[in-house]
Amino acid sequence: MVDVLALVEARLRTALGEPDARAAVTFLGTDRIEVLRFTDLDTSGTGPTGIVRYATLGMSAQPMADPTAVVADPVAGPRAELVLSVRAGAADTDKVLRPLAVLAASPQVEGLVVAPGASLDVGDPLWPGAPFTSVLVAEPGGLVEDLELDAPLDPVRFLPLLPMTPNEAAWKRVHGAGALQERWLTSGTDLRDPARTSVSLD
């Protein structure tokens, strides 16, 4: 059987460069989940600026199972990893490692199938002082291309996560993911700002 995680890490390195940190979290009854940090800093100014990206590694080791299925298929089914991008230096975003690992373990723990348009809530701030406790799962294919695997395995999709304030999450539940993303777009919202406020939802 192909080593899916080795191929996933190689794809992440190709797209994002070399990780400058990694952490592993193991939850009872689940496989180990790692979170890799990739830092793209511009130090030409008065201080480091740029983007920090956090990517999970381990979620795609097994396919996500339909929670209504009587028996989970050990081979076929969607596979994914999660990617979060935030601006560097504005908050202690490295504390997001454990919440990300919790989200990546949710298909194994809760039988979830994580797909674009879904909301994932960790119940606590994503990092100290963060105005977000949940994320919107966005469409893959932009930052990191899908990783094709040999049949019958489904490709691994790298799903971007967009932090949501509680007000945005509540509004999304009523109006849908597309409507919220349209609000962000028309308002010019910087979704990578770790300290941003809620978009206007009037």
Side-chain angles (χ1 to χ4, degrees):
M1 181 63 71
V2 64
D3 186 343
V4 173
L5 295 186
L7 296 174
V8 168
E9 182 166 354
R11 174 57 56 88
L12 288 170
R13 289 172 181 268
T14 298
L16 304 177
E18 288 298 310
D20 56 12
R22 61 196 304 156
V25 181
T26 303
F27 303 99
L28 185 64
T30 69
D31 295 332
R32 186 172 81 157
I33 302 290
E34 288 191 272
V35 180
L36 281 57
R37 185 184 71 190
F38 301 85
T39 307
D40 180 14
L41 291 182
D42 173 13
T43 57
S44 60
T46 56
T49 60
I51 303 297
V52 180
R53 306 188 195 281
Y54 302 93
T56 63
L57 179 64
M59 182 177 172
S60 61
Q62 299 179 31
M64 292 181 279
D66 182 342
T68 64
V70 177
V71 179
D73 191 318
V75 177
R79 295 173 188 260
E81 298 288 356
L82 308 176
V83 181
L84 174 70
S85 301
V86 293
R87 295 204 174 278
D92 185 13
T93 55
D94 280 353
K95 294 295 197 301
V96 79
L97 298 179
R98 185 172 179 82
L100 273 184
V102 169
L103 295 179
S106 61
Q108 291 184 59
V109 175
E110 302 176 40
L112 294 179
V113 175
V114 178
S119 300
L120 303 175
D121 196 326
V122 297
D124 292 302
L126 294 177
W127 53 82
F132 321 105
T133 62
S134 63
V135 293
L136 174 65
V137 182
E139 292 289 340
L143 185 63
V144 185
E145 291 184 6
D146 292 355
L147 173 64
E148 297 293 335
L149 301 174
D150 293 338
L153 303 183
D154 286 25
V156 178
R157 308 171 83 195
F158 298 88
L159 301 173
L161 301 181
L162 308 176
M164 294 187 292
T165 66
N167 283 347
E168 290 170 340
W171 197 85
K172 180 258 177 187
R173 283 194 293 272
V174 175
H175 299 279
L180 177 58
Q181 289 177 296
E182 183 65 27
R183 282 294 178 107
W184 284 336
L185 184 62
T186 56
S187 299
T189 304
D190 182 0
L191 296 174
R192 296 179 294 192
D193 179 356
R196 73 172 181 84
T197 57
S198 180
V199 71
S200 175
L201 300 171
D202 295 334

